[in-house]
Amino acid sequence: MDYLDEEQRRAITMKSSSIALHYKDYSINLIDSPGHMDFCSEVSTAARLSDGALVLVDAVEGVHIQTHAVLRQSWIEKLTPCLVLNKIDRLICELKLTPMEAYNRLLRIVHEVNGIVSGYKSEKYLSDVDLMLAGPLGDVGDESHEFIEDDEEDTFQPQKGNVVFVCALDGWGFGIGEFAEFYASKLGASAAALQKALWGPRYFNSKTKMIVGKKGIGGGSKARPMFVQFVLEPLWQVYQAALEPDGDKGVLEKVIKSFNLSVPPRELKNKDHKVVIQAVMSRWLPLSDAILSMVVKCMPDPITAQTFRISRLLPKREVMDNGISSNVLAEAELVRNSVEACDSSSEAPCVAFVSKMFAIPTKLLPQRGPNGEVLNNYADEGGSGESDECFLAFARIFSGVLSLGQRVFVLSALYDPLKGESMQKHVQEAELQSLYLMMGQGLKPVSSAKAGNVVAIRGLGQYILKSATLSSTRNCWPFSSMVFQVSPTLRVAIEPSDPADMGALMKGLRLLNRADPFVEVTVSARGEHVLAAAGEVHLERCIKDLKERFAKVSLEVSPPLVSYRETIEGEISNPLENLKLLTGNLDYVEKTTPNGRCVVRVRVMKLPLALTKVLDESSDLLGDVIGGKLGQTNRSLATQGSSIVEGENPIEALKNRIMDACESDIQSGSENDKDWVEKCKRMWLKFLKRIWAFGPRQVGPNILFTPDYKGKNTDCSVLIRGSSYVSERLGFVDDISNGDAAIEISSAADQALYKEAESLESSVGSGFQLATAAGPLCDEPMWGLAFVVEAYISPLAAQADESESNQLPEQYGIFTGQVMTAVKDACRAAVLQRKPRLVEAMYFCELNTPTEYLGPMYAVLARRRARVLKEEMQEGSPLFTVHAYVPVSESFGFADELRRWTSGAASALLVLSHWEALSEDPFFVPKTEEEMEEFGDGSSVLPNTARKLIDAVRRRKGLIVEEKVVQHATKQRTLARKV
């Protein structure tokens, strides 16, 4: 299945590939997806097209961070998971475990995986993959004890048949059922009873020929569980007989004779012990039978699966507007019912979902059609020089029959069939040029395919960028968007070595953007072409594809562009004191517009960490809420986070999460004083009723509150009061007008001034958005800050005549622009005044290393400013597992350096975890006696880490950097050339 050169070289899967298999009377589509975290987007695209998931776990290394990721993805997509414990042979050959030790290890892994799934079942937040890993060591253990008491709760149970034990390298595997059937006649018990007894604390009493529990055997007895006695011990004997020089070859003969295996004598006599063990084991316990029989038995067929998954694929829309054609609604409902029933009749509406586009060289396309006719694969490529690569759609048919030459509508995720003509840009009509069944690397042309099949479609390259819904009717809702586990965080600027090749590079970037579901291609404010990938391995593959397949030009790649955030120091532990910063009278920054008509006062406060996190995670939902997209159709937003329970109003859920985040901050600073807690709650509720905007881009983790209105000022100036529009959309206030005090307008001049103040509200909002998008330290977005902006405008001076007033706009610029600039400058100055801090992204890092390489591994972590969370030895192995946080800026080349220093023995997995503020002050100057004693007057203080990072970003962006150009001005320094 891994047919790409890069996949062969690295020995890892990078692209999802599908193969159609026939097993007994069943047709099974198997999609092989990558396990590396850099390519988890491929897991997302494969999961959308599947009905079940085979979750692979290494029997030696156990549960890793990828296991959390794939279990979470299968839970979100409502797939039926089965567990495959791979590399069982390593327990025998490498770790030299006894059967009993191996059983305890397998038992622990199954309990650990069940613990992860039960966490998702109990509606825990799925946003932090590393929460379970980085939590206290006892967490998983406590859960697993609970599961032992109540086994019916467990998702994965070998006795159910949804767990198999395999060795893919040697080509064998088994479930409990195979051994239950084999021993049924020998032990005189039914296969069903044995299947239940062959896992867990069940023992076989050889004297009474009875299956008993732990209490049924004597206290001093050395009895082994039945799984050890009847399953693992025979396996161990076969391996020892084949691999050890003095092994008993009679064991192999006994197995061959007992099961009537036809093993060629030359394979049994081979001097390579591995060939002998593969010959026997792959015929005794064939891997394909173990896996495919489990798939048939435990996973649902497409009809059952789509009935269960319909709420995830096509959520029900509650239509609010009554002025919509009933025919459109009826047909849309008919399409949904067809998808739910997986209707494969030719009369049913045809619906398919394209999860990704993938490129293959045109020369690899089949030369003949389904009926043997010769095809011209180059005819429809347009002759634009892109004919070397052909784009195929990776799709699953959910309803109806897809036929060659059929015309279908391509619907984007934003399409709404109820809006008619206004949705034209989100729907296109296309003809299917070719249909293929995917056979790993090969493609088999077919003339039609029914619902339930996974196919590759040619002819949609110019209509689909990443993913889309295909439908035979316009009146169909698009499928819900896919969820990706991580976001593209590694960004580099790309330019051709020869400027004349810029056109080829741009064309290549367009093709790459279409071919990779997860890559992002943008143009920065400086005009650079920026490529964003999930990690270093993903980036390397993208650059290689650009150079060799899509652009075919030599490229210059910049060092990675790391994103930072800017915030202020939150040293106040008392939430009440923190809130008073926004209401105080003295602690503000004041700016005046050039014409003197507007005075802007800004106060700033750091938001609680929990609230910042909620706003950061809910940015997509906030965009829908603030943009009003949830008004006409109540779209299911299960994709936005696990805390939103299915069927619950997403706005109400978000409001509750915001309230919970504020309350958790109050509780953390609580001194068990109920009155104090209530006072804090009331104050927070007041502020939440005054949310004017979020920023940057209207959805960020910063809040602009409306000023507290206290009536008209004595100097005739008027306050720009703002609007609590966002609070109203989130449901904190019922109506905006309720929160506003009535205004008494005494004259026409005052009325004009109030109207002008109202018109300037958007300027204040825009100034806030500009300030939060580019902070004062290094023009990076702000993070977790709350602002109150009080902007007072005064009337024009009475003595100013008409001619002077006409010249003012020309002299200082448009007044709205002046207000915007003043607000932006005041917000940035307020941040600088309140001890600014840099915030950097952190990776959660999971490392596995042998004991002897712990020292070099810790040395590498120390050089990378990593913070170690915990280390624990894996039971029954010489490996240590270490969890740490590593800054994204220090992660480049981390895996290579780790391999170099540990001679390839250590491996690391990185996944984006959270944002963390650097505690260092970038503008540190010695002030106290101790500091002055250590650093002197400050002239010799070296820049700290925060200042170095800020200067590096400013230098890259072309901003002013305060640095010494001349290091030694007292004399000229010359370097003698020693010959």
Side-chain angles (χ1 to χ4, degrees):
M1 300 283 276
D2 297 340
Y3 58 86
L4 298 175
D5 293 341
E6 192 71 3
E7 290 180 323
Q8 299 279 351
R9 187 176 71 82
R10 291 178 179 270
I12 60 171
T13 307
M14 291 183 172
K15 288 275 187 187
S16 293
S17 51
S18 175
I19 189 165
L21 304 170
H22 286 286
Y23 176 72
K24 296 181 179 176
D25 297 328
Y26 300 96
S27 177
I28 298 170
N29 286 293
L30 184 69
I31 304 176
D32 176 32
S33 60
H36 198 288
M37 283 304 295
D38 279 13
F39 304 103
C40 64
S41 61
E42 296 283 343
V43 178
S44 304
T45 57
R48 171 50 61 92
L49 307 186
S50 308
D51 295 324
L54 292 169
V55 179
L56 263 72
V57 177
D58 191 316
V60 174
E61 297 186 0
V63 172
H64 271 322
I65 203 159
Q66 306 106 306
T67 316
H68 285 259
V70 294
L71 285 170
R72 176 188 176 189
Q73 194 68 45
S74 66
W75 174 260
I76 289 171
E77 290 291 346
K78 290 180 175 283
L79 305 184
T80 303
C82 288
L83 183 62
V84 180
L85 293 170
N86 193 16
K87 303 185 183 178
I88 301 292
D89 61 312
R90 291 182 65 192
L91 301 177
I92 309 171
C93 306
E94 280 183 34
L95 302 185
K96 311 284 187 193
L97 299 185
T98 64
M100 191 66 200
E101 288 169 344
Y103 168 68
N104 287 329
R105 185 180 194 82
L106 296 173
L107 189 69
R108 188 169 55 83
I109 291 173
V110 172
H111 283 163
E112 205 170 335
V113 175
N114 280 323
I116 298 167
V117 178
S118 75
Y120 298 156
K121 281 183 175 178
S122 60
E123 298 176 358
K124 287 182 179 177
Y125 293 163
L126 304 180
S127 55
D128 289 336
V129 176
D130 65 330
L131 257 182
M132 288 186 181
L133 290 170
L137 289 172
D139 283 5
V140 174
D142 294 344
E143 290 179 353
S144 59
H145 291 316
E146 189 179 307
F147 296 139
I148 293 166
E149 292 167 12
D150 188 4
D151 262 354
E152 290 307 305
E153 295 290 322
D154 289 353
T155 303
F156 300 109
Q157 296 182 39
Q159 60 268 37
K160 278 187 188 175
N162 65 355
V163 179
V164 291
F165 307 88
V166 307
C167 168
L169 186 66
D170 293 343
W172 60 266
F174 65 89
I176 298 288
E178 279 91 334
F179 281 90
E181 287 171 14
F182 171 61
Y183 284 117
S185 56
K186 285 196 167 191
L187 300 178
S190 69
L194 275 176
Q195 180 141 349
K196 289 181 180 176
L198 276 175
W199 184 260
R202 302 284 186 277
Y203 301 82
F204 183 71
N205 190 327
S206 54
K207 292 178 183 175
T208 60
K209 303 288 184 186
M210 295 282 286
I211 298 169
V212 295
K214 200 161 190 177
K215 293 178 181 176
I217 57 169
S221 172
K222 292 184 178 178
R224 292 98 64 214
M226 289 183 68
F227 184 75
V228 175
Q229 185 178 351
F230 293 106
V231 179
L232 294 186
E233 285 181 359
L235 283 178
W236 259 242
Q237 287 167 11
V238 171
Y239 261 82
Q240 284 160 2
L243 298 180
E244 292 181 8
D246 56 345
D248 182 7
K249 303 299 177 189
V251 174
L252 297 180
E253 297 294 341
K254 190 177 176 184
V255 168
I256 292 168
K257 191 176 177 182
S258 300
F259 293 96
N260 295 322
L261 308 179
S262 57
V263 183
R266 72 172 186 278
E267 290 191 12
L268 279 175
K269 291 174 184 175
N270 198 304
K271 290 183 179 178
D272 186 351
H273 301 311
K274 266 291 184 189
V275 173
V276 177
I277 200 75
Q278 285 172 1
V280 175
M281 294 297 294
S282 61
R283 287 170 173 82
W284 176 28
L285 301 167
L287 176 64
S288 56
D289 284 356
I291 297 288
L292 297 178
S293 62
M294 176 175 70
V295 167
V296 169
K297 180 185 171 188
C298 299
M299 291 190 185
D301 58 83
I303 298 171
T304 313
Q306 285 178 210
T307 306
F308 175 62
R309 295 183 68 208
I310 189 70
S311 60
R312 170 78 187 99
L313 301 171
L314 278 171
K316 265 199 177 299
R317 265 73 172 194
E318 295 176 11
V319 182
M320 308 295 183
D321 195 348
N322 297 323
I324 294 167
S325 167
S326 58
N327 294 337
V328 174
L329 278 174
E331 189 171 2
E333 192 57 32
L334 172 69
V335 170
R336 189 179 187 277
N337 292 338
S338 299
V339 171
E340 185 172 4
C342 191
D343 192 343
S344 58
S345 62
S346 54
E347 296 81 26
C350 183
V351 180
F353 182 76
V354 176
S355 67
K356 70 168 185 172
M357 302 297 290
F358 66 100
I360 68 164
T362 308
K363 63 186 178 186
L364 292 183
L365 289 174
Q367 303 301 313
R368 293 184 178 274
N371 301 317
E373 70 276 14
V374 178
L375 300 174
N376 180 7
N377 292 322
Y378 292 87
D380 298 302
E381 294 298 331
S384 59
E386 297 180 10
S387 57
D388 290 347
E389 298 286 339
C390 174
F391 281 91
L392 302 180
F394 197 72
R396 155 87 182 259
I397 306 166
F398 285 92
S399 166
V401 180
L402 212 56
S403 308
L404 194 63
Q406 181 179 348
R407 296 195 70 79
V408 294
F409 293 102
V410 181
L411 315 176
S412 80
L414 299 174
Y415 179 70
D416 187 340
L418 307 180
K419 291 187 178 175
E421 294 299 317
S422 64
M423 285 282 118
Q424 283 301 322
K425 63 182 178 181
H426 297 304
V427 59
Q428 304 171 75
E429 196 173 1
E431 183 180 333
L432 309 183
Q433 294 171 10
S434 303
L435 273 178
Y436 304 105
L437 277 182
M438 288 175 280
M439 308 296 292
Q441 183 179 2
L443 297 167
K444 181 184 174 184
V446 290
S447 54
S448 66
K450 290 186 175 182
N453 281 307
V454 175
V455 293
I457 306 170
R458 181 163 163 260
L460 301 174
Q462 58 185 335
Y463 302 103
I464 301 174
L465 179 62
K466 303 274 188 186
S467 63
T469 306
L470 307 180
S471 171
S472 55
T473 169
R474 281 175 179 270
N475 300 325
C476 168
W477 292 103
F479 277 47
S480 60
S481 300
M482 291 181 291
V483 177
F484 292 114
Q485 298 286 322
V486 295
S487 56
T489 50
L490 182 57
R491 299 180 302 133
V492 292
I494 292 181
E495 60 184 34
S497 302
D498 181 359
D501 294 330
M502 181 55 87
L505 173 63
M506 291 176 72
K507 185 191 84 177
L509 285 171
R510 279 199 303 274
L511 294 176
L512 177 68
N513 195 27
R514 191 184 302 163
D516 194 307
F518 204 52
V519 81
E520 282 183 8
V521 178
T522 53
V523 179
S524 72
R526 297 167 61 197
E528 297 171 314
H529 290 277
V530 176
L531 184 70
E536 285 186 86
V537 181
H538 186 209
L539 179 66
E540 279 178 39
R541 206 211 60 221
C542 290
I543 300 293
K544 188 176 169 64
D545 283 351
L546 264 182
K547 286 180 178 177
E548 297 175 6
R549 292 179 63 189
F550 300 129
K552 295 183 178 175
V553 295
S554 179
L555 299 175
E556 297 293 327
V557 183
S558 75
L561 313 175
V562 184
S563 294
Y564 294 96
R565 298 287 184 268
E566 299 180 21
T567 188
I568 59 174
E569 189 178 54
E571 77 284 353
I572 299 174
S573 57
N574 186 334
L576 197 59
E577 292 298 318
N578 210 9
L579 286 168
K580 285 179 180 176
L581 291 173
L582 293 182
T583 54
N585 294 322
L586 300 173
D587 195 11
Y588 60 80
V589 169
E590 187 171 288
K591 294 278 181 184
T592 310
T593 54
N595 64 2
R597 282 199 59 208
C598 180
V599 176
V600 177
R601 292 176 183 166
V602 173
R603 295 180 180 84
V604 64
M605 172 195 95
K606 188 170 183 179
L607 291 174
L609 198 59
L611 180 56
T612 305
K613 198 172 179 185
V614 168
L615 296 178
D616 212 8
E617 289 170 355
S618 310
S619 57
D620 292 340
L621 178 53
L622 283 171
D624 285 347
V625 172
I626 294 165
K629 291 181 186 174
L630 297 181
Q632 296 173 350
T633 56
N634 186 11
R635 297 165 54 194
S636 169
L637 287 152
T639 58
Q640 304 297 341
S642 60
S643 55
I644 297 175
V645 182
E646 200 171 319
E648 187 181 357
N649 181 357
I651 301 177
E652 191 64 32
L654 179 59
K655 176 186 169 185
N656 292 337
R657 286 186 72 193
I658 291 173
M659 291 293 295
D660 290 346
C662 295
E663 284 184 22
S664 68
D665 176 58
I666 295 168
Q667 299 296 341
S668 65
S670 160
E671 296 158 3
N672 300 324
D673 185 349
K674 287 185 180 178
D675 294 338
W676 182 87
V677 169
E678 282 302 316
K679 190 176 180 183
C680 284
K681 279 186 184 176
R682 283 197 304 273
M683 194 173 259
W684 258 118
L685 201 57
K686 276 184 188 174
F687 275 111
L688 292 173
K689 289 179 179 178
R690 288 168 43 194
I691 302 175
W692 186 344
F694 294 113
R697 297 183 301 282
Q698 308 288 347
V699 292
N702 303 288
I703 303 179
L704 174 63
F705 292 118
T706 56
D708 198 8
Y709 183 71
K710 293 189 177 69
K712 191 175 173 181
N713 271 26
T714 52
D715 58 355
C716 299
S717 61
V718 171
L719 174 68
I720 300 174
R721 298 160 64 219
S723 156
S724 305
Y725 169 74
V726 175
S727 290
E728 190 220 1
R729 299 294 302 172
L730 289 172
F732 287 111
V733 289
D734 298 331
D735 190 5
I736 297 177
S737 59
N738 291 351
D740 293 340
I743 304 166
E744 294 178 10
I745 300 170
S746 54
S747 66
D750 282 352
Q751 190 172 359
L753 199 58
Y754 277 111
K755 277 190 177 178
E756 188 177 11
E758 201 173 321
S759 69
L760 288 171
E761 285 179 6
S762 61
S763 299
V764 174
S766 300
F768 164 75
Q769 298 295 340
L770 288 171
T772 50
L777 295 179
C778 51
D779 274 11
E780 291 290 319
M782 293 183 189
W783 185 79
L785 299 180
F787 292 89
V788 171
V789 177
E790 296 177 2
Y792 296 92
I793 60 165
S794 337
L796 285 164
Q799 67 270 26
D801 60 21
E802 202 172 311
S803 62
E804 282 179 4
S805 63
N806 288 340
Q807 288 172 5
L808 282 176
E810 295 169 15
Q811 184 180 353
Y812 297 114
I814 301 169
F815 186 43
T816 52
Q818 294 180 48
V819 173
M820 203 184 300
T821 307
V823 171
K824 182 187 80 171
D825 292 345
C827 288
R828 288 167 62 118
V831 170
L832 277 177
Q833 183 179 295
R834 290 287 319 282
K835 298 181 183 175
R837 293 289 182 267
L838 195 67
V839 184
E840 59 181 352
M842 303 293 283
Y843 276 131
F844 176 81
C845 176
E846 184 178 75
L847 302 110
N848 286 289
T849 183
T851 314
E852 60 268 26
Y853 289 108
L854 271 176
M857 184 205 67
Y858 277 120
V860 173
L861 288 175
R863 281 194 294 277
R864 301 276 177 165
R865 294 195 291 118
R867 189 169 85 251
V868 176
L869 301 174
K870 70 172 182 181
E871 70 165 49
E872 58 183 0
M873 192 168 190
Q874 291 184 13
E875 191 180 336
S877 78
L879 293 176
F880 269 85
T881 298
V882 177
H883 294 157
Y885 285 134
V886 180
V888 171
S889 57
E890 303 287 345
S891 66
F892 310 114
F894 174 66
D896 289 340
E897 186 184 1
L898 189 66
R899 279 195 294 268
R900 196 166 61 246
W901 278 77
T902 60
S903 305
S907 61
L909 294 165
L910 298 170
V911 63
L912 193 67
S913 173
H914 65 284
W915 292 94
E916 190 172 292
L918 276 168
S919 57
E920 297 171 338
D921 183 359
F923 305 113
F924 171 71
V925 175
K927 289 178 183 172
T928 64
E929 285 185 14
E930 290 83 359
E931 288 171 352
M932 294 184 81
E933 187 177 333
E934 185 176 351
F935 300 107
D937 59 354
S939 58
S940 59
V941 177
L942 293 171
N944 56 26
T945 305
R947 188 56 183 262
K948 285 177 186 172
L949 295 173
I950 289 169
D951 286 349
V953 175
R954 291 184 72 89
R955 205 173 284 116
R956 174 168 61 80
K957 292 184 174 180
L959 304 172
I960 298 169
V961 178
E962 292 180 11
E963 59 181 344
K964 286 184 180 179
V965 180
V966 180
Q967 291 291 339
H968 303 280
T970 52
K971 64 176 182 177
Q972 181 180 358
R973 289 195 155 206
T974 55
L975 296 175
R977 293 185 64 181
K978 311 263 183 179
V979 180

